[in-house]
Amino acid sequence: MAKRLYKSNTNKVISGVCGGIAEYFNIDPSLVRLGLIIFSFMGGSGILAYIIAALVIPAAPLDHFMHPPGQNWNNDDWNNPNQGNGPPR
């Protein structure tokens, strides 16, 4: 499956743009937020870019939130108590 850019549901402060970019590039969201602040002080371009990104980047679908990228999820995990990924029994 192709990797897609979404606004984050978990790493969100205002609208999840910085968290979504951080999840896409697999980096710390604080670094993306710091970069946004630096660009904001350089003529305000960071604020404009954030507003445009908040309008353009779609929110993460519910299945993306339930199964974060980078984790292998298999429907059989919930039915097999030996896997350890399902609910406690």
Side-chain angles (χ1 to χ4, degrees), residues 10-58:
T10 55
N11 291 321
K12 106 195 265 188
V13 174
I14 297 175
S15 70
V17 171
C18 292
I21 292 171
E23 287 175 3
Y24 184 79
F25 289 110
N26 199 23
I27 59 174
D28 186 25
S30 298
L31 295 175
V32 179
R33 291 182 185 114
L34 182 63
L36 175 71
I37 291 170
I38 291 170
F39 282 123
S40 295
F41 286 124
M42 300 171 105
S45 61
I47 296 170
L48 181 63
Y50 188 90
I51 292 170
I52 292 170
L55 295 172
V56 173
I57 298 174

Side-chain angles (χ1 to χ4, degrees), residues 1-4 22-26 63-74 85:
M1 180 191 316
K3 197 174 186 183
R4 301 231 16 217
E23 287 175 3
Y24 184 79
F25 289 110
N26 199 23
D63 63 338
H64 181 79
F65 176 68
M66 297 296 290
H67 307 293
Q71 293 184 0
N72 289 329
W73 289 85
N74 185 350
N85 293 334

